[in-house]
């Protein structure tokens, strides 16, 4: 029997999670996926906010489980988060992200959420989960180099055209199709597990697991290439803009799958006491992302699409392809990752490909953003640790 005080605390934690989901929807998951497309004038700011909300909601339901479990139970060892701990961690992280939204700077949501959970966990006398921290830090450190480097390479190829532009876009479309074929969806796998389209269809082919998946992947990649090529045949610029919008949609879907866990993750350890299934938490978090995208994302979409670099369709495509791939790697392995870091790094990489002068990238904006990321991680750890310690000392 759960007492009334515990129920009340859980409800407060749930409200804090909704506030966090709104902040994420208004910030990273709501603004970054379509920012390059807006910068390339392929879609308006308001339409981008509308579609990113719907796609983020779908991603939250279909791909949100891995990161949610990681944030809720894998960031600290030896203790289980309590309702009070969830309230403190979510409140601290949501406040920092909201400050970033209204100040116009993209705070790294994963940094604040991860730091807040670690802070309260340490205040509860938990042990650091060094193995998980190493995994997370590796992806965080590699993301700017991998995302920016791949974006730079693609942008240079499109700019210098050593390969005919239409053929290169067609090939990139096939690569994206291969990635889509192998991302996991909750509805395709057995209960509690995800499965990819290639795995699902490959199970019907009597060639063995690996050859069947490879064959299905190849077929889907070719189909994507054919569709992209047919669109390009009606006009290169038209085809590029359509491809760019598809990429924005895929990144928005991936953002929902990754970012919802940052909002509802702290609720996962305590939801079992109330017999609340994970899908219900994902549904609530997805609604929070949706509302945040529709109400608060336009400000950040403008900031990222215009303030960092002047983007055209080709450089926007170059930015979104590595962003989509990195996001899906994070979802697959259950690693909380910042979409602001992913997208901004890719935009900067594609921006530098424009010229030796840096392609219009704002160096001062870059510097302030990096500082905001560093301080958001350190600040969330300190504030959440102090907040939980104070509450524990005075009331618990």
């Amino acid at each position: 029997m759960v007492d009334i005080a515990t129920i009340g605390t859980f409800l407060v934690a749930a409200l804090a999670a909704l506030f966090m989901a709104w902040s994420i929807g208004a910030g990273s998951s709501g603004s970054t996926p379509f920012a390059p497309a807006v910068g390339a004038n392929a879609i308006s700011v308001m339409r981008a906010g509308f579609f990113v909300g719907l796609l983020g909601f779908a991603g939250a339901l279909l791909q949100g489980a891995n990161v949610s479990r990681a944030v809720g139970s894998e960031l600290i060892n030896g203790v289980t988060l309590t309702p009070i701990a969830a309230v403190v961690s979510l409140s601290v992280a949501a406040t920092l992200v909201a400050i970033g939204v209204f100040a116009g700077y993209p705070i790294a949501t994963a940094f604040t959420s991860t730091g807040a959970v670690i802070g309260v966990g340490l205040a509860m006398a938990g042990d650091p989960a060094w193995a998980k921290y190493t995994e997370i830090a590796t992806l965080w450190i590699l993301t700017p180099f991998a995302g920016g480097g791949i974006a730079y390479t693609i942008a240079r190829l499109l700019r210098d055209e050593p390969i005919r532009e239409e053929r290169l876009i067609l090939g990139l479309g096939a690569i994206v199709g291969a990635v889509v074929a192998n991302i996991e969806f909750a509805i395709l796998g057995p209960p509690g597990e995800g499965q990819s389209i290639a795995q699902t269809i490959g199970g019907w082919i009597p060639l063995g697991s690996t050859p069947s998946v490879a064959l299905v992947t190849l077929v889907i990649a070719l189909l994507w290439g054919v569709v992209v090529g047919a669109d390009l045949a009606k006009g290169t610029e038209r085809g590029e803009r359509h491809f760019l919008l598809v990429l924005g949609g895929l990144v928005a879907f991936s953002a929902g799958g990754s970012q919802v866990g940052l909002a509802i993750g702290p609720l996962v350890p305590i939801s079992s006491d109330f017999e609340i299934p994970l899908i219900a938490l994902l549904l609530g978090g997805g609604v929070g992302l949706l509302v945040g995208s529709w109400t608060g994302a336009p400000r950040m979409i403008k900031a990222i699409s215009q303030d960092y670099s002047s983007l055209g369709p080709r450089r926007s495509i170059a930015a979104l392809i590595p962003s989509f791939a990195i996001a899906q790697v994070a979802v697959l392995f259950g690693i909380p990752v910042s979409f602001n870091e992913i997208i901004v790094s890719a935009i900067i990489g594609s921006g530098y490909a424009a010229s030796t002068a840096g392609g219009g990238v704002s160096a001062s904006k870059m510097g302030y953003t990096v500082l905001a990321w560093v301080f958001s991680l350190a600040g969330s750890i300190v504030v959440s640790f102090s907040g939980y310690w104070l509450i524990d000392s005075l009331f618990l």
Side-chain angles (χ1 to χ4, degrees):
M1 183 72 180
V2 181
D3 60 76
I4 296 178
T6 302
I7 294 175
T9 306
F10 178 82
L11 291 176
V12 174
L15 290 175
L18 284 175
F19 177 44
M20 182 63 179
W22 178 89
S23 299
I24 294 172
S28 59
S29 74
S31 62
T32 51
F34 274 103
V38 172
N41 295 318
I43 189 172
S44 69
V45 171
M46 297 308 296
R47 285 186 178 181
F50 175 76
F51 285 113
V52 79
L54 293 178
L55 292 166
F57 176 78
L61 290 180
L62 297 177
Q63 288 197 308
N66 285 354
V67 176
S68 297
R69 294 192 186 100
V71 172
S73 60
E74 298 178 15
L75 295 180
I76 204 76
N77 293 329
V79 296
T80 299
L81 293 183
T82 63
I84 291 294
V87 169
V88 173
S89 64
L90 287 167
S91 298
V92 169
T95 300
L96 290 174
V97 172
I99 289 173
V101 170
F102 292 113
Y105 283 98
I107 297 295
T109 311
F111 290 10
T112 58
S113 299
T114 302
V117 172
I118 292 173
V120 297
L122 294 176
M124 294 173 65
D127 299 319
W130 294 115
K132 190 65 176 181
Y133 300 163
T134 301
E135 190 178 75
I136 293 172
T138 299
L139 182 62
W140 286 359
I141 293 171
L142 290 179
T143 289
F145 299 100
I150 294 172
Y152 175 86
T153 301
I154 294 175
R156 290 293 296 185
L157 289 173
L158 288 171
R159 177 174 180 262
D160 297 338
E161 296 189 10
I163 304 172
R164 185 178 173 183
E165 182 176 346
E166 291 79 6
R167 293 180 180 177
L168 183 57
I169 295 294
L170 187 152
L172 292 173
I175 292 173
V176 171
V179 175
V180 170
N182 286 279
I183 64 178
E184 293 187 348
F185 299 92
I187 59 174
L188 297 181
E193 297 181 18
Q195 190 167 278
S196 69
I197 297 173
Q199 289 174 320
T200 301
I201 298 177
W204 305 337
I205 303 175
L207 295 177
S209 177
T210 302
S212 298
V213 170
L215 177 61
V216 174
T217 299
L218 178 61
V219 171
I220 293 177
L222 291 175
L223 289 175
W224 271 70
V226 169
V227 171
V228 172
D231 199 24
L232 288 169
K234 299 176 182 178
T236 300
E237 184 176 349
R238 175 180 180 274
E240 287 179 348
R241 291 184 183 277
H242 289 171
F243 185 41
L244 175 59
L245 291 175
V246 170
L247 287 173
L250 290 172
V251 173
F253 178 85
S254 303
S258 172
Q259 303 295 280
V260 71
L262 304 177
I264 70 167
L267 297 180
V268 173
I270 58 179
S271 62
S272 59
D273 295 335
F274 301 88
E275 299 182 354
I276 299 175
L278 179 57
I279 187 64
L281 296 180
L282 292 173
L283 178 62
V287 170
L289 294 179
L290 175 67
V291 175
S293 296
W294 285 356
T295 59
R299 176 184 177 88
M300 288 301 296
I301 291 176
K302 183 266 177 186
I304 294 177
S305 65
Q306 298 179 17
D307 292 351
Y308 280 88
S309 179
S310 301
L311 299 177
R314 292 182 295 180
R315 284 162 58 193
S316 297
I317 289 171
L320 286 180
I321 288 178
S323 300
F324 171 52
I326 293 172
Q328 284 300 323
V329 168
V331 169
L332 177 63
F333 290 100
I335 300 175
V337 64
S338 168
F339 262 76
N340 283 326
E341 182 190 17
I342 293 173
I343 293 286
V344 170
S345 300
I347 288 177
I348 290 171
S350 64
Y352 268 99
S355 69
T356 56
V361 177
S362 170
S364 61
K365 188 78 171 182
M366 288 165 50
Y368 285 127
T369 300
V370 171
L371 286 175
W373 290 346
V374 173
F375 283 114
S376 64
L377 175 62
S380 62
I381 293 175
V382 173
V383 174
S384 61
F385 181 95
S386 303
Y388 184 86
W389 177 85
L390 182 61
I391 291 173
D392 183 56
S393 301
L394 295 177
F395 304 107
L396 301 182

